[in-house]
Amino acid sequence: MVTSADSTAYQYRDETFPPLTPFEVKVGVYNNKGDGPFSAVVTVYSAEGEPREAPSDVKASGISASEVRVTWRPPIPGPGRPERYEVSFWKDVEQQEQSGSKRQTVRNETSVVLSGLDGNSLYHVTVRGFNTIGQGPPSAATTARTRKTPPEQPPRNLRWIQEGNNVSLSWDPVRAQDNESDVVGYMVFLRQEGRGHNQVTRTINPSTVLSLPEGGTYIMEVRALSDGGEGAVSAQVRVVTSSGVRAKSSQGSVHRPASSPVWTSILLLLLPVPFSSW
């Protein structure tokens, strides 16, 4: 009996019932004249406990110099279902989970990408489920190694030849050091000055041909691409195209300024000469 007429909830507690025990419930009203009608019967369940099983088939793999992808299978369905997951990870030199870091999923996803890691490093990873009641047991630890860092050397000695609105761009190949990821290609970024959007072109060669729209100043940059991620950015190349008029041919390089024409000044001194007859 709930004696307050303003009550809209009631909590029943019995420690002998296991989680997810079904109950049939109906609610009626009464006053000093007697009992009123009851609601329809509904089935409610006692609250879940914390997850009792650990996720299985946990796998981790390095996808860049700073990222590791972790996947797993949820526990067998039963009492204590996980609402989210927590991934713990620590470097091999740290030797224990307590000294590492933790990331939680937004919902009950079964994968996550860990970012901000050190390059060419071995990490240990465990996964556990949790809900509003508490945490479940962790999975067995698995390991993954991040890839080597991308090359620190940017593409150098950029050269270009402009024919109308087409630009042939080339650069010296980037050579990775022993502690860096091998170069697998290049990314060429093109954007119009004053705009933030980049057009990205990928190539496996140290050269490419770009078609520029008419009218504007365009900025080009190049990065080496490796298994460890993107390398350092090159110096900028700036090319101007004319609106409505086909641009003239030109060429240049960013490692040295284009030569400017040198004008020699000639002073002509005019002096009056007296006229003499022949």
Side-chain angles (χ1 to χ4, degrees), residues 47-52 78-85 128-136:
E48 292 184 291
E50 67 274 3
R52 300 180 182 180
R81 293 171 296 181
E83 297 175 355
R84 297 163 63 189
Y85 293 93
R128 71 173 76 209
F130 69 94
N131 55 23
T132 55
I133 305 302
Q135 289 186 330

Side-chain angles (χ1 to χ4, degrees), residues 12 14-25 43-49 52 79:
Y12 175 73
D14 190 330
E15 298 290 349
T16 63
F17 289 106
L20 298 179
T21 299
F23 291 85
E24 290 186 341
V25 179
T43 301
V44 297
Y45 293 83
S46 58
E48 292 184 291
R52 300 180 182 180

Side-chain angles (χ1 to χ4, degrees), residues 104-166:
Q104 293 182 351
T105 60
V106 177
R107 291 181 291 276
N108 59 345
E109 301 96 342
T110 56
S111 68
V112 69
V113 174
L114 306 176
S115 58
L117 310 180
D118 295 334
N120 196 23
S121 300
L122 184 66
Y123 282 86
H124 297 260
V125 180
T126 63
V127 184
R128 71 173 76 209
F130 69 94
N131 55 23
T132 55
I133 305 302
Q135 289 186 330
S139 67
T142 188
T143 59
R145 180 177 292 276
T146 53
R147 300 181 179 182
K148 293 181 179 180
T149 56
E152 293 185 0
Q153 174 190 332
R156 293 174 177 168
N157 194 21
L158 272 68
R159 304 169 296 277
W160 73 94
I161 299 176
Q162 182 180 4
E163 277 290 339
N165 292 332
N166 292 326

Side-chain angles (χ1 to χ4, degrees), residues 10-277:
Y10 172 73
Q11 183 175 353
Y12 175 73
R13 187 176 185 87
D14 190 330
E15 298 290 349
T16 63
F17 289 106
L20 298 179
T21 299
F23 291 85
E24 290 186 341
V25 179
K26 62 180 179 180
V27 181
V29 295
Y30 71 94
N31 58 20
N32 56 3
K33 297 295 184 178
D35 295 340
F38 277 85
S39 67
V41 176
V42 297
T43 301
V44 297
Y45 293 83
S46 58
E48 292 184 291
E50 67 274 3
R52 300 180 182 180
E53 301 290 336
S56 61
D57 197 22
V58 179
K59 297 179 181 179
S61 58
I63 58 177
S64 75
S66 61
E67 297 174 313
V68 165
R69 183 185 301 279
V70 184
T71 62
W72 60 90
R73 293 183 182 274
I76 298 174
R81 293 171 296 181
E83 297 175 355
R84 297 163 63 189
Y85 293 93
E86 181 179 82
V87 180
S88 301
F89 56 100
W90 63 98
K91 293 179 69 172
D92 186 58
V93 295
E94 295 170 337
Q95 297 294 329
Q96 54 184 349
E97 179 179 351
Q98 290 75 13
S99 60
S101 302
K102 302 180 187 297
R103 301 281 171 82
Q104 293 182 351
T105 60
V106 177
R107 291 181 291 276
N108 59 345
E109 301 96 342
T110 56
S111 68
V112 69
V113 174
L114 306 176
S115 58
L117 310 180
D118 295 334
N120 196 23
S121 300
L122 184 66
Y123 282 86
H124 297 260
V125 180
T126 63
V127 184
R128 71 173 76 209
F130 69 94
N131 55 23
T132 55
I133 305 302
Q135 289 186 330
S139 67
T142 188
T143 59
R145 180 177 292 276
T146 53
R147 300 181 179 182
K148 293 181 179 180
T149 56
E152 293 185 0
Q153 174 190 332
R156 293 174 177 168
N157 194 21
L158 272 68
R159 304 169 296 277
W160 73 94
I161 299 176
Q162 182 180 4
E163 277 290 339
N165 292 332
N166 292 326
V167 174
S168 298
L169 181 66
S170 61
W171 54 90
D172 292 344
V174 175
R175 308 297 182 187
Q177 303 297 318
D178 292 340
N179 62 338
E180 297 175 336
S181 295
D182 292 335
V183 176
V184 297
Y186 300 90
M187 301 177 66
V188 181
F189 299 87
L190 170 67
R191 74 176 186 273
Q192 188 172 6
E193 189 173 47
R195 298 185 182 180
H197 175 70
N198 276 323
Q199 174 186 324
V200 181
T201 301
R202 294 173 182 262
T203 176
I204 61 174
N205 302 311
S207 63
T208 190
V209 177
L210 302 173
S211 180
L212 308 183
E214 292 185 352
T217 299
Y218 292 86
I219 300 173
M220 293 173 284
E221 296 172 328
V222 184
R223 291 179 184 266
L225 186 62
S226 72
D227 289 336
E230 299 177 14
V233 66
S234 70
Q236 292 184 349
V237 172
R238 301 168 68 89
V239 177
V240 179
T241 61
S242 303
S243 178
V245 179
R246 184 174 180 83
K248 297 181 180 179
S249 300
S250 63
Q251 60 184 10
S253 169
V254 295
H255 73 286
R256 58 181 174 83
S259 58
S260 301
V262 178
W263 296 92
T264 302
S265 298
I266 300 176
L267 177 63
L268 299 179
L269 182 61
L270 302 180
L271 299 177
V273 178
F275 177 81
S276 59
S277 58

